[in-house]
């Protein structure tokens, strides 16, 4: 028995000495090729991409070699027939190279030739089989060239194979130490010469993702949001504020640019803000503020131009089991490995951090920044992701709920909504941490704080779930709090009709900046009141528009030759449950509103710009899918 064991160990060592160094080289080459492909495809030419890919793929090459060589070792042990080390080296290199390149290369070829929808069943099998044979032959040829080259320069192939991962690890650590792409110093900060004599208030603009109007304690006595209530008591609470879209990207783009969605045209996942637009952060930077932004949403990032105008912008990227540049496009096998390791080793109570950074983390990150930048007169954009789905239980136990549920019942609806409301209350506690720090450091009193949401969430009130699919009030009616410096006008409740695009000109007017002609919002403090709020959404095959006043609402879906028109008497029907569009007595009023809407849209189109676009990488797509943006 000992003889057999010793012989087996001998064969294992013999074969691995030949297989592993070449497998490392194959992994590195595969990593380089995929890094080039990702860099070109997503215009991301950073050393972190190449260092990360080549290092991790060198390790994966080792693991794959163990799988490929195991049958050879077993054959040698059972037959006693020795297989030459050179053959093992060629087999290892070609197999690892083939296995790591073919999966993404096959997808690339099929997409490029528009064959993805055509190659199914046997034809797809034949295509993949032929490609595998070609890549195996290519791997053999490439190794032949590498072997000859290393012999020419007198480098031992085994030493090179084991030394390269160490070199790549050092390179990866060095590249990471110079900064990973989640933060950006965008605009050079040049404070005006008279800034010390100007008593400019700081400005903090807070957006809570998915926060409904009826889930804060100012509107719902059953909700425990004492910190938002106290902020409202120190400022002005607006009861009729409406967003311009019912999902994040277009809505926040409107709050950046003070334009309607049909003007900035950032309506899809792959669209980005036109860099020529004048944004709120750019204005604040121009006015002498240090403009800093913290985003929690995968769509509100530099890749979509949401960093433009800031002096410093940081995307609070989700946790990663495998350290990598959060802004870099992900490698094929690293996504698979990350998902596997996440399920295997992550503590369930920490699971939320793999979807987004929660409110507590966000507040602490902001407090840390404030402690290090107490000398700055700042404008801060702050985006909290909670209570966006998945709706996590509190305290965290790893359980969460993703809309829509598999089966509907009133009990399930209540469970989802109750969990969502607990997320809101959790977020309020995290806001309390921030507000308390502002007060203890003396910042709060001389700071204007604006708090609102980008949209709400639906819990089957109109037969739907989540957001982005309609424009009913549960999705576009947003809470709005404006606390002025020194708590001017504290305790005010204002029922004026306002839109979230009014926030930029209101902040600009309050700090004494001039008007921006292209902005469509109204300075809320100017005394100019609006009669209508306009919202639009184009997503999930739905194109809808709404025109809402404080007392009535016109809602149109379809927008084709036969649109569906709904009309609600909001004064008597706040839940929008009684569609009056079929009422003959109201037909003249509906026709009048349709004409008002058409004229309004004609005016908007005259001032529209084209949005830019970018390609979504696989990592971003996976994050969007986790958050429900891709069904």
């Amino acid at each position: 028995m000992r003889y057999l064991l010793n012989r087996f160990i001998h064969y294992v060592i013999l074969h691995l000495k030949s297989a592993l160094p070449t497998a490392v080289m194959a992994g590195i080459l595969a990593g380089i090729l995929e890094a080039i492909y990702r860099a070109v495809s997503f215009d991301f030419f950073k050393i972190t991409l190449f260092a990360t890919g080549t290092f991790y793929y060198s390790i994966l090459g080792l693991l794959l070699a163990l799988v490929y060589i195991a049958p050879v070792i077993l054959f040698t042990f059972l037959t006693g027939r020795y297989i030459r080390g050179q053959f093992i080296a060629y087999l290892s290199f070609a197999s690892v190279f083939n296995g790591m390149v073919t999966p993404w290369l096959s997808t690339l070829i099929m997409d490029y030739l528009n064959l993805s929808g055509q190659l199914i069943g046997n034809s797809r099998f034949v295509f993949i089989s032929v490609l595998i044979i070609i890549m195996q032959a290519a791997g053999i040829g490439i190794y032949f060239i590498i072997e000859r080259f290393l012999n020419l320069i007198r480098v031992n192939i085994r030493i090179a194979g084991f030394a390269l991962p160490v070199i790549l690890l050092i390179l990866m650590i060095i590249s990471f130490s110079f900064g990973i792409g989640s933060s950006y110093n965008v605009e050079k900060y040049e404070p005006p010469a008279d800034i010390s004599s100007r008593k400019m208030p700081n400005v903090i603009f807070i957006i809570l993702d998915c926060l409904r109007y009826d889930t804060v304690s100012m509107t719902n006595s059953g909700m425990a949001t004492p910190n938002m209530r106290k902020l409202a008591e120190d400022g002005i609470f607006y009861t009729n504020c409406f967003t311009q879209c019912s999902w994040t990207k277009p809505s926040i783009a409107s709050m950046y640019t003070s334009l309607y969605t049909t003007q900035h045209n950032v309506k899809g996942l792959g669209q980005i803000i036109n860099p020529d637009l004048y944004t709120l952060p750019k204005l604040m930077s121009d006015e002498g503020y240090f403009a800093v932004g913290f985003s929690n949403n995968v769509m509100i990032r530099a890749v979509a131009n949401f960093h433009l105008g800031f002096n410093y912008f940081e995307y609070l990227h989700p946790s990663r089991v495998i350290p990598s540049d959060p802004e870099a496009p992900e490698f094929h096998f690293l996504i698979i490995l990350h998902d596997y390791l996440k399920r295997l080793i992550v503590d369930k109570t920490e699971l939320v951090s793999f979807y987004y950074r929660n409110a507590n983390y966000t507040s602490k990150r902001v407090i840390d920044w404030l402690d290090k930048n107490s000398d700055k007169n700042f404008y801060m954009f702050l985006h909290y992701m909670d209570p966006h789905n998945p709706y996590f239980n509190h305290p965290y136990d790893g359980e969460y709920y993703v809309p829509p549920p598999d089966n509907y019942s009133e009990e399930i609806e209540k469970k989802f909504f109750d969990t969502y409301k607990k997320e809101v209350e959790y977020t309020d506690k995290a806001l309390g941490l921030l507000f308390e720090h502002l007060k203890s450091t003396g910042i709060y009193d001389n700071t204007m704080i604006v708090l609102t949401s980008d949209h709400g969430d639906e819990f089957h009130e109109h037969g739907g779930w989540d957001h982005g699919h309609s424009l009913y009030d549960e999705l576009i009616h947003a809470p709005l709090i404006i606390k002025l410096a020194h708590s001017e006008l504290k305790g005010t409740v204002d029922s004026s009709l306002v839109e979230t695009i009014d926030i930029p000109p209101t902040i600009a007017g309050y700090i004494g900046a001039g008007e921006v002609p292209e902005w469509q919002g109204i300075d809320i403090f100017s005394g100019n009141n609006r009669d209508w709020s306009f919202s639009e959404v184009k997503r999930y095959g739905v194109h809808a528009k709404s025109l809402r006043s404080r007392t009535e609402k016109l809602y149109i879906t379809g927008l084709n030759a036969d649109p569906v028109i709904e009309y609600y008497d909001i004064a008597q029907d706040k839940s929008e449950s009684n569609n009056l569009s079929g009422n003959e007595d109201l037909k003249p009023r509906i026709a009048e509103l349709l004409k008002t809407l058409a004229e309004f849209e004609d005016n908007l189109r005259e001032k529209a710009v084209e949005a830019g676009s970018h390609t979504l990488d696989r990592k971003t797509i996976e994050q969007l899918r986790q958050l429900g943006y891709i069904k």
Side-chain angles (χ1 to χ4, degrees):
M1 177 62 71
R2 176 171 293 184
Y3 167 75
L4 291 176
L5 180 61
N6 288 337
R7 192 176 75 164
F8 179 74
I9 293 173
H10 170 72
Y11 283 131
V12 168
I13 295 174
L14 199 64
H15 286 87
L16 291 184
K17 283 170 65 178
S18 299
L20 295 187
T22 57
V24 169
M25 291 184 178
I28 292 171
L29 180 59
I32 291 172
L33 292 176
E34 189 170 345
I36 293 172
Y37 164 56
R38 305 292 176 192
V40 172
S41 299
F42 302 105
D43 194 26
F44 192 92
F45 295 90
K46 290 183 63 176
I47 190 63
T48 50
L49 175 67
F50 290 87
T52 301
T54 50
F55 170 70
Y56 287 130
Y57 269 34
S58 69
I59 303 303
L60 285 173
L62 287 173
L63 298 177
L64 281 175
L66 295 177
V67 175
Y68 293 142
I69 298 304
V72 177
I73 295 174
L74 185 61
F75 171 81
T76 304
F77 173 71
L78 293 176
T79 64
R81 298 177 62 183
Y82 174 68
I83 299 177
R84 290 181 59 196
Q86 191 175 30
F87 175 82
I88 297 295
Y90 271 87
L91 175 66
S92 175
F93 184 95
S95 299
V96 169
F97 178 77
N98 190 356
M100 298 184 77
V101 173
T102 300
W104 62 264
L105 183 61
S106 62
T107 302
L108 172 63
I109 294 172
M110 287 190 289
D111 289 345
Y112 183 76
L113 298 177
N114 294 317
L115 297 175
S116 298
Q118 301 176 36
L119 291 178
I120 55 176
N122 291 335
S123 59
R124 190 183 189 91
F125 175 78
V126 171
F127 170 77
I128 297 295
S129 299
V130 171
L131 184 60
I132 288 173
I133 294 171
I134 293 172
M135 294 306 295
Q136 191 76 9
I140 293 171
I142 291 170
Y143 182 70
F144 176 81
I145 295 171
I146 291 175
E147 184 183 42
R148 294 297 179 272
F149 175 73
L150 291 178
N151 288 336
L152 182 65
I153 62 175
R154 298 183 179 181
V155 172
N156 185 291
I157 196 166
R158 292 177 180 174
I159 294 176
F162 289 118
L164 280 173
V166 177
I167 296 171
L168 290 170
L169 176 61
I170 295 171
L171 178 62
M172 185 174 75
I173 294 172
I174 293 173
S175 68
F176 275 35
S177 68
F178 281 100
I180 305 176
S182 58
S183 60
Y184 295 83
N185 295 302
V186 189
E187 301 283 343
K188 184 179 180 181
Y189 181 52
E190 295 180 349
D194 63 341
I195 193 168
S196 60
S197 61
R198 293 166 59 186
K199 297 181 179 179
M200 300 192 303
N202 299 306
V203 179
I204 302 178
F205 181 15
I206 302 172
I207 295 177
L208 305 187
D209 213 300
C210 296
L211 179 66
R212 288 171 55 128
Y213 175 79
D214 60 358
T215 56
V216 292
S217 55
M218 297 84 77
T219 61
N220 184 340
S221 59
M223 291 296 298
T225 59
N227 295 296
M228 281 187 269
R229 174 183 284 278
K230 182 63 174 67
L231 185 69
E233 290 171 351
D234 285 346
I236 311 155
F237 180 61
Y238 292 88
T239 61
N240 281 299
C241 175
F242 296 89
T243 67
Q244 275 46 78
C245 193
S246 58
W247 68 287
T248 298
K249 199 169 190 177
S251 181
I252 294 185
S254 287
M255 286 187 263
Y256 263 57
T257 63
S258 191
L259 297 175
Y260 292 96
T261 55
T262 198
Q263 293 178 302
H264 61 64
N265 277 306
V266 181
K267 297 180 179 180
L269 293 173
Q271 291 173 311
I272 66 177
I273 293 176
N274 187 313
D276 294 331
L277 291 176
Y278 196 65
T279 62
L280 176 59
K282 178 60 176 170
L283 177 138
M284 300 302 284
S285 179
D286 288 346
E287 288 296 314
Y289 283 86
F290 187 92
V292 55
F294 294 96
S295 169
N296 248 309
N297 192 298
V298 65
M299 291 182 294
I300 312 304
R301 291 191 297 160
V303 70
N305 284 343
F306 282 94
H307 68 311
L308 297 180
F310 286 101
N311 302 110
Y312 178 81
F313 181 87
E314 183 175 341
Y315 166 52
L316 303 176
H317 57 85
S319 296
R320 302 282 299 168
V321 179
I322 305 171
S324 62
D325 187 335
E327 291 294 312
E330 191 65 283
F331 287 75
H332 176 82
F333 283 102
L334 294 189
I335 285 184
I336 298 172
L337 185 60
H338 172 77
D339 289 344
Y340 174 75
L341 292 176
K342 183 176 71 174
R343 292 192 296 269
L344 185 67
I345 65 175
V346 172
D347 188 329
K348 288 185 176 181
T349 61
E350 300 294 327
L351 189 61
V352 63
S353 69
F354 289 86
Y355 289 82
Y356 56 81
R357 295 296 185 174
N358 65 22
N360 195 55
Y361 178 99
T362 303
S363 287
K364 289 180 177 179
R365 174 66 190 99
V366 172
I367 289 170
D368 179 65
W369 185 90
L370 290 168
D371 286 341
K372 295 175 181 176
N373 294 273
S374 59
D375 60 322
K376 291 182 173 65
N377 201 200
F378 65 87
Y379 160 74
M380 178 182 291
F381 167 76
L382 179 53
H383 177 251
Y384 286 87
M385 194 61 180
D386 326 58
H388 196 287
N389 78 75
Y391 312 124
F392 284 88
N393 281 340
H394 288 274
Y396 289 122
D397 60 4
E399 295 297 321
Y400 58 86
Y401 303 92
V402 179
D406 294 332
N407 299 294
Y408 172 75
S409 69
E410 290 186 1
E411 182 181 352
I412 289 175
E413 178 186 327
K414 184 177 185 303
K415 180 63 177 176
F416 273 57
F417 201 7
D418 287 348
T419 308
Y420 164 89
K421 288 189 275 191
K422 289 296 182 184
E423 289 260 52
V424 174
E425 293 176 345
Y426 167 81
T427 305
D428 183 80
K429 292 178 182 178
L431 286 171
L433 291 176
L434 174 61
F435 296 159
E436 184 57 38
H437 181 81
L438 294 174
K439 291 173 182 176
S440 66
T441 54
I443 298 174
Y444 184 85
D445 194 44
N446 188 42
T447 299
M448 177 190 199
I449 300 177
V450 179
L451 186 148
T452 190
S453 65
D454 53 351
H455 55 78
D457 246 10
E458 183 182 351
F459 294 88
H460 210 253
E461 289 92 342
H462 290 90
W465 297 86
D466 204 7
H467 51 269
H469 56 275
S470 77
L471 294 171
Y472 293 109
D473 275 10
E474 58 265 19
L475 295 186
I476 62 171
H477 193 181
L480 173 63
I481 303 169
I482 300 180
K483 185 208 80 76
L484 303 177
H486 313 294
S487 297
E488 297 177 68
L489 304 177
K490 64 183 297 186
T492 301
V493 177
D494 193 325
S495 61
S496 301
L497 185 66
V498 298
E499 297 180 317
T500 49
I501 62 167
D502 296 335
I503 292 171
T506 300
I507 292 174
Y510 185 70
I511 66 169
E515 292 186 5
V516 180
E518 59 266 34
W519 284 3
Q520 298 297 295
I522 297 173
D523 180 351
I524 297 172
F525 301 134
S526 67
N528 298 321
N529 296 322
R530 61 171 69 250
D531 298 320
W532 299 99
S533 171
F534 173 71
S535 303
E536 180 182 15
V537 65
K538 191 172 184 180
R539 189 167 179 241
Y540 297 142
V542 173
H543 191 184
K545 298 174 183 178
S546 72
L547 195 64
R548 193 197 192 283
S549 72
R550 292 194 299 171
T551 58
E552 59 184 333
K553 181 173 181 176
L554 179 72
Y555 181 34
I556 309 173
T557 55
L559 305 179
N560 48 31
D562 188 25
V564 177
I565 299 174
E566 299 174 35
Y567 175 82
Y568 298 97
D569 180 358
I570 298 296
Q572 302 298 323
D573 180 22
K574 294 187 183 302
S575 63
E576 300 166 292
S577 57
N578 184 20
N579 177 14
L580 300 175
S581 63
N583 188 318
E584 290 297 325
D585 294 336
L586 293 172
K587 290 294 176 68
R589 178 56 178 164
I590 293 173
E592 182 183 347
L593 293 179
L594 287 170
K595 181 181 178 182
T596 299
L597 176 60
E599 292 173 349
F600 180 76
E601 288 191 282
D602 286 342
N603 181 56
L604 294 185
R605 277 190 282 269
E606 291 177 2
K607 304 170 184 176
V609 300
E610 289 187 10
S613 64
H614 73 106
T615 304
L616 300 175
D617 65 276
R618 189 177 170 189
K619 179 166 60 179
T620 299
I621 290 172
E622 290 302 316
Q623 290 174 341
L624 290 169
R625 184 173 286 114
Q626 283 188 142
L627 299 171
Y629 290 109
I630 296 177
K631 302 299 184 182

